[in-house]
């Protein structure tokens, strides 16, 4: 079956209502029906900008996602948002377990899994992030670490439709450094190989690559076997760059 590429923009803590509306409007206008055949284009703005981005998308096919959710349905959790709230705000996806949340907020695999389960229960597709640090790679433990995170972070029921994996080597995020094509291929193949043993229906899940994806390297990265899309940080804040990355799919 042909791959339906998912190109996701993680805006992180960037944007104002005016900038967000302009960026989303430009993307929504440029992303037309023929593109939608083999491509899902997703933007994940900060939570307070979800409504303005939703309005800018209008009836367009650009998808809306969030950057995090709480594992509980509701309750006394100051500062958090539930998956159901995100669904009702018009989201289809939510990133969980991004390395910046694992580092900044001490999130561990068990919490990431609980968030992914909550997302699925609310009808959202969790984008579950995993990735090794530079020290772990230099120790020769990258595959072991990533497969460990994978097995502990995946919800019990995963399919090509209800969850996505994003492999993001921590040392490649925002640094302009990327692994070699061979290293990406080896890691994605290791992840693909592990999936059938980890969750019911997981073998067809899409595996995104993230970490310094730019217009000039996207073509090479997206052509690698078992790379089913990209999770893009910095380059997703510019409509032209983000669309060029999407257009680089094989
Ligand atoms: P950069 O594309 O800026 O390296 O960020 C990657 C990332 O963290 C996406 O989630």
């Amino acid at each position: 079956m042909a791959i339906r590429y998912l190109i996701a923009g993680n805006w992180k803590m960037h944007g104002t209502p005016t900038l967000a509306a302009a960026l989303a409007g430009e993307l929504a206008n440029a992303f037309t029906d023929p593109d939608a055949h083999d491509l899902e284009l997703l933007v994940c703005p900060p939570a307070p900008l979800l409504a303005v981005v939703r309005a800018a998308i209008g009836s367009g096919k650009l998808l809306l996602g969030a950057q995090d959710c709480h594992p509980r349905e509701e309750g006394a959790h100051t500062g958090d948002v539930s998956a159901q709230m995100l669904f009702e705000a018009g989201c289809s996806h939510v990133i969980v377990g991004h390395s910046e949340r694992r580092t900044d907020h001490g999130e561990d695999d068990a919490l990431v899994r609980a968030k992914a389960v909550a997302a699925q229960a609310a009808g959202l597709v969790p984008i579950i992030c995993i990735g090794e640090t530079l020290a772990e790679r230099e120790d020769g433990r990258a595959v072991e670490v990533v497969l460990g995170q994978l097995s502990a972070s995946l919800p019990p029921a995963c399919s090509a439709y209800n969850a996505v994996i994003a492999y993001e080597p921590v040392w490649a995020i925002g640094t302009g450094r990327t692994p070699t094509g061979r290293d990406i291929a080896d890691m994605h193949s290791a992840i693909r190989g592990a999936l059938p043993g980890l969750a019911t229906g997981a073998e067809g899940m899409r595996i995104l690559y993230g970490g310094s994806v730019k217009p000039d390297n996207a073509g090479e990265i997206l052509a690698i076997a078992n790379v089913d899309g990209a999770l893009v940080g910095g380059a997703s804040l510019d409509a032209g760059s983000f669309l060029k990355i999407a257009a680089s799919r094989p």
Side-chain angles (χ1 to χ4, degrees):
M1 205 174 70
I3 299 171
R4 190 139 197 248
Y5 287 90
L6 173 60
I7 306 295
N10 176 6
W11 292 4
K12 308 193 180 184
M13 201 169 70
H14 293 289
T16 64
T18 309
L19 288 173
L23 178 52
E26 199 176 336
L27 292 171
N29 286 337
F31 182 45
T32 55
D33 272 333
D35 294 325
H37 228 56
D38 69 334
L39 174 66
E40 287 179 331
L41 197 65
L42 168 72
V43 291
C44 301
L49 300 180
L50 287 171
V52 74
V53 171
R54 179 65 261 161
I57 292 171
S59 59
K61 291 194 160 56
L62 180 65
L63 296 170
L64 180 64
Q67 298 175 15
D68 180 49
C69 67
H70 194 276
R72 296 271 166 80
E73 282 178 33
E74 61 176 358
H77 303 290
T78 303
D80 280 307
V81 295
S82 73
Q84 184 65 32
M85 290 169 184
L86 298 173
F87 181 81
E88 284 168 14
C91 292
S92 53
H93 293 70
V94 60
I95 299 167
V96 294
H98 191 281
S99 72
E100 286 149 16
R101 292 209 60 89
R102 290 178 185 259
T103 305
D104 295 354
H105 299 274
E107 296 192 1
D108 63 10
D109 293 329
L111 179 58
V112 174
R113 171 185 271 158
K115 290 181 176 202
V117 169
Q120 288 179 331
L124 297 175
V125 175
I127 299 175
I128 302 158
C129 300
I130 51 180
E132 82 286 356
T133 62
L134 188 57
E136 289 162 343
R137 175 157 287 272
E138 285 174 349
D139 275 1
R141 298 198 301 118
V143 171
E144 176 199 332
V145 166
V146 167
L147 294 188
Q149 289 178 340
L150 181 71
S151 71
S153 304
L154 271 196
C158 284
S159 74
Y161 305 101
N162 74 2
V164 171
I165 295 160
Y167 166 58
E168 298 205 303
V170 177
W171 52 274
I173 294 176
T175 59
R177 294 181 61 191
T178 53
T180 63
R182 181 62 198 261
D183 286 341
I184 296 175
D186 287 351
M187 186 62 82
H188 280 240
S189 156
I191 293 169
R192 177 72 66 213
L195 285 176
L198 292 179
T200 325
E203 53 280 345
M205 289 176 74
R206 283 180 293 184
I207 309 170
L208 313 185
Y209 168 80
S212 295
V213 177
K214 308 282 179 215
D216 62 1
N217 62 16
E220 189 191 338
I221 291 171
L222 292 171
I224 296 170
N226 293 306
V227 174
D228 306 314
L231 183 53
V232 184
S236 73
L237 295 169
D238 176 78
S241 296
F242 192 50
L243 290 167
K244 270 192 205 137
I245 289 170
S248 306
R249 67 194 187 279

